[in-house]
Every structure is written in structure tokens, then in C-alpha cells.
């Protein structure tokens, strides 16, 4: 097994806590293990999350109840259990995806579907916003895109300085420009689009209240970012949805799909509704690999009760 091509231990001396060192060491260990073993480990993590009745299981079950109410109880339970296993695989894969040499990671990509849709948008020379929901392993997607295009990615810096340094180095090792969720980061995204480049955004994250509006997501009001709508209006860029699908053989397929046309509407309500419909379509294609464990509805309209009330 070939050693990763970078040292994942940030050199912050005493500023790195014991917990941070443990996490970084674990990632380095995972990067040394065979990919197939990490997949099996992820399945085991998912089983643990399921049988321990973890908070992740409770959030998953609640989200499925809200978003896919037509499912029979047995179907919903089976989907929740499978989702936790896929979530576990995403975690167990992070060491290899972040620390392996990029060509080795790219070899995991088996097929690319809808590539021509992305190429058509790029050819329009107006910049492209790649909307990448939390489906499959989204880190694979950014590594793949940077093989052919300049890419600037919006990301939420963690509180840990050491972990942030690891993320910055692993994601930037292909030349990806990282834009933090701040005014400076938004300006970097805008400039990239003005240069007619690609930018990547995880559109299913819950924004700050001042940066979003409530729009239906699977029929449920969800605080939805207005950033995508604003960037489209300011730059005339095109929007493409992209996600990965984890395959039983050990690799991944990548899919590109055009966003809902309403995303380009000047009306912010219609635009955010179009954004959420775009995400929904991706999720419906591979529901078991969507990150249902995320508290998508944690911020509610004024007067509504919290969704996630667990003992």
C-alpha cells in the first residue's frame, strides 16, 4: 500500500489538542487501509448508529418521515438503515479521499453521466455554478472537476485550527481555491464566475437566517440559501447539479444534471423553490445515499415548534 503524498499532521505545536491529534491520526490510518476494508468499516459504523438508536438514526427517521411520508413504515425503516450505512462509508472513506494521491482517488471514478451538460454550460462562457448536494461522497466530485477546470469551492471552516489546516491542504492540493463562508469568500466566488470559471456550492446546507428564505423542500418549509440565486442574477452564470453514487464494486459514478429552470427567476421565492426542486431530483435518484442524518429543518419559521426534539 502506497503512502499518502502529504503529512496530515498540521504543525501547530501545543495548539493541537489531544482530540484533534487523535482524529488526524485516525484519518492517516484509514488512508493506509484498503478501500474495500474502509467500505466494510463504514457499513459496521452504520450498523452501530442504527442499533444504538443514535441521534443520527433519530434525525434520519424524522427527515424521512417529513420528506417521504408516502413510504410504508417497513420501507422507511429499510431506507433509514441503508442511509446510515452509506453515511458510515462516507466517514470511513475520508482518510483515503483526503490523503491519497489525487490520481489514485480519480481511479475510483468508473463512469461519468451527463458530462455533455456540463460541457455545454462551460461553452457558454458565463461561468458555471456546480450544485453538489450531500449525496454519495462529494469530496470525489471536487477532485474530479479540478482535473479539467479551475474550481473555487465554498466551505464552512471548522472551529479547530488543526482540522481546518488539514482540510485546506487536502482540498487545495489540486489547485482548488477555497472560499470560506464569509463576505470575503462570497467575493471570491463572484470573481471566479466573472472569470467564467466553475464554482462549487453545497446547496442543501442551512444558511444563517439573514442569508436565506424559507422555501419548500420535499414539501416542508426549509431555510434555503439565497446565495445561489444572487450569484446567478449578478453574473448570468449557468447552474448544474452534480453528485456521486457509490457503487457496489468499490468505485463511484458521477452524474451531472441541469438545474430547474426556475432557479434563474428574478423572484427570490421562485428561484429558491427551483433550487430545492433541483436538489430533490438528485436525492430521488439515489435516496439511500443522501445524507438524511443532517438536520436540514433545524431552523423553523417564526412560531413553529422545533422539528428535532429528542430525549
Amino acid at each position: 500500500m502506497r503512502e499518502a503524498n502529504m503529512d496530515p499532521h498540521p504543525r501547530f505545536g501545543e495548539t493541537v489538542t489531544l482530540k484533534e491529534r487523535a482524529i488526524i491520526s485516525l484519518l492517516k490510518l484509514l488512508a493506509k487501509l484498503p478501500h474495500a476494508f474502509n467500505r466494510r468499516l463504514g457499513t459496521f459504523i452504520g450498523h452501530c448508529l442504527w442499533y444504538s438508536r443514535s441521534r443520527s438514526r433519530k434525525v434520519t427517521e424524522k427527515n424521512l418521515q417529513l420528506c417521504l411520508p408516502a413510504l410504508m413504515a417497513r420501507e422507511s425503516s429499510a431506507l433509514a438503515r441503508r442511509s446510515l450505512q452509506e453515511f458510515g462509508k462516507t466517514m470511513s472513506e475520508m482518510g483515503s479521499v483526503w490523503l491519497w494521491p489525487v490520481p489514485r482517488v480519480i481511479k475510483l471514478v468508473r463512469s461519468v453521466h451527463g458530462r455533455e451538460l456540463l460541457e455545454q454550460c462551460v461553452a457558454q462562457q458565463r461561468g458555471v455554478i456546480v450544485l453538489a448536494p450531500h449525496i454519495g461522497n462529494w469530496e470525489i466530485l471536487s477532485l474530479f472537476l479540478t482535473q479539467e477546470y479551475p474550481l473555487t469551492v465554498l466551505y464552512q471552516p471548522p472551529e479547530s485550527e488543526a482540522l481546518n489546516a488539514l482540510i485546506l491542504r487536502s482540498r487545495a492540493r489540486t489547485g482548488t481555491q477555497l472560499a470560506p463562508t464569509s463576505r470575503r469568500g462570497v467575493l471570491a466566488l463572484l470573481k471566479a464566475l466573472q472569470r467564467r470559471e466553475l464554482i462549487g456550492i453545497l446547496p442543501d446546507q442551512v444558511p444563517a437566517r439573514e442569508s436565506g428564505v424559507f422555501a419548500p423542500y420535499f414539501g416542508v418549509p426549509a431555510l434555503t440559501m439565497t446565495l445561489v440565486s444572487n450569484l446567478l442574477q449578478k453574473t448570468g452564470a449557468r447552474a448544474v447539479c452534480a453528485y456521486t453514487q457509490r457503487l457496489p464494486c468499490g468505485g463511484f459514478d458521477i452524474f451531472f444534471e441541469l438545474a430547474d429552470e426556475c432557479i434563474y427567476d428574478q423572484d427570490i421565492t421562485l428561484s429558491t423553490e427551483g433550487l430545492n426542486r433541483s436538489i430533490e431530483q438528485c436525492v430521488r435518484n439515489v435516496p439511500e445515499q443522501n445524507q438524511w442524518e443532517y438536520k436540514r429543518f433545524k431552523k423553523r419559521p417564526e412560531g413553529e415548534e422545533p422539528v428535532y426534539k429528542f430525549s
Side-chain angles (χ1 to χ4, degrees):
M1 181 63 63
R2 191 168 40 169
E3 183 73 28
N5 67 341
M6 58 179 289
D7 177 8
H9 290 278
R11 303 183 186 284
F12 288 117
E14 297 303 320
T15 65
V16 182
T17 67
L18 185 60
K19 180 180 179 180
E20 291 166 351
R21 287 188 181 277
I23 293 174
I24 294 170
S25 296
L26 176 60
L27 288 170
K28 186 176 181 180
L29 172 62
L30 291 172
K32 293 181 178 180
L33 299 174
H35 188 67
F37 179 87
N38 280 333
R39 285 278 180 95
R40 291 193 292 271
L41 176 61
T43 300
F44 174 75
I45 292 172
H47 284 314
C48 292
L49 293 173
W50 175 263
Y51 287 109
S52 66
R53 299 200 61 83
S54 64
R55 184 168 294 268
S56 292
R57 173 179 172 174
K58 293 176 182 178
V59 172
T60 298
E61 291 176 328
K62 184 63 177 180
N63 282 336
L64 290 175
Q65 175 189 340
L66 291 170
C67 296
L68 300 175
L71 290 179
M72 301 290 289
R74 180 180 299 178
E75 295 172 323
S76 184
S77 180
L79 179 54
R81 184 172 179 177
R82 178 72 184 278
S83 175
L84 287 167
Q85 293 172 7
E86 296 297 324
F87 177 54
K89 292 173 187 176
T90 299
M91 291 191 292
S92 64
E93 291 167 348
M94 281 306 173
S96 54
V97 173
W98 279 356
L99 301 176
W100 278 5
V102 175
R104 187 178 174 191
V105 179
I106 296 300
K107 285 182 179 179
L108 296 174
V109 177
R110 307 307 186 198
S111 300
V112 181
H113 306 267
R115 183 197 293 263
E116 69 281 1
L117 300 176
L118 175 63
E119 293 174 346
Q120 290 168 11
C121 290
V122 171
Q124 295 183 35
Q125 292 289 300
R126 291 194 283 177
V128 179
I129 301 179
V130 179
L131 304 171
H134 288 80
I135 298 173
N137 194 318
W138 49 95
E139 298 286 349
I140 297 282
L141 181 62
S142 63
L143 291 176
F144 173 81
L145 288 172
T146 53
Q147 301 308 293
E148 299 186 27
Y149 306 102
L151 178 68
T152 302
V153 175
L154 183 70
Y155 89 110
Q156 176 67 54
E159 294 182 1
S160 165
E161 182 183 2
L163 293 178
N164 187 46
L166 173 63
I167 292 172
L168 287 173
R169 289 193 308 190
S170 62
R171 290 180 176 173
R173 69 193 193 275
T174 59
T176 302
Q177 300 299 311
L178 297 174
T181 51
S182 63
R183 185 181 298 274
R184 179 171 60 87
V186 172
L187 181 60
L189 297 178
L190 181 61
K191 289 182 176 179
L193 290 176
Q194 291 171 341
R195 294 192 300 267
R196 302 173 182 176
E197 297 176 354
L198 272 64
I199 68 169
I201 294 178
L202 298 169
D204 49 355
Q205 291 183 313
V206 180
R209 285 193 178 269
E210 64 272 14
S211 301
V213 296
F214 282 94
Y217 180 63
F218 284 96
V220 183
L223 190 62
T224 304
M225 63 173 63
T226 56
L227 174 62
V228 173
S229 303
N230 292 336
L231 288 173
L232 290 172
Q233 290 301 313
K234 289 180 180 179
T235 66
R238 304 303 294 171
V240 177
C241 298
Y243 59 93
T244 63
Q245 181 178 12
R246 189 176 287 108
L247 302 174
C249 67
F252 299 86
D253 275 0
I254 293 178
F255 293 81
F256 294 102
E257 300 179 1
L258 294 179
D260 188 293
E261 281 296 318
C262 284
I263 201 173
Y264 301 106
D265 201 290
Q266 294 183 0
D267 185 309
I268 194 66
T269 299
L270 295 177
S271 180
T272 51
E273 288 177 355
L275 172 62
N276 281 348
R277 280 196 299 272
S278 302
I279 302 170
E280 286 177 28
Q281 184 55 53
C282 297
V283 173
R284 291 184 190 278
N285 291 338
V286 280
E288 71 281 359
Q289 295 193 25
N290 181 57
Q291 191 175 328
W292 295 105
E293 296 72 25
Y294 179 60
K295 293 183 179 180
R296 182 65 183 88
F297 307 107
K298 62 183 176 182
K299 295 182 181 178
R300 309 307 307 137
E302 186 175 354
E304 281 199 14
E305 291 292 320
V307 167
Y308 308 107
K309 296 192 295 184
F310 307 126
S311 57

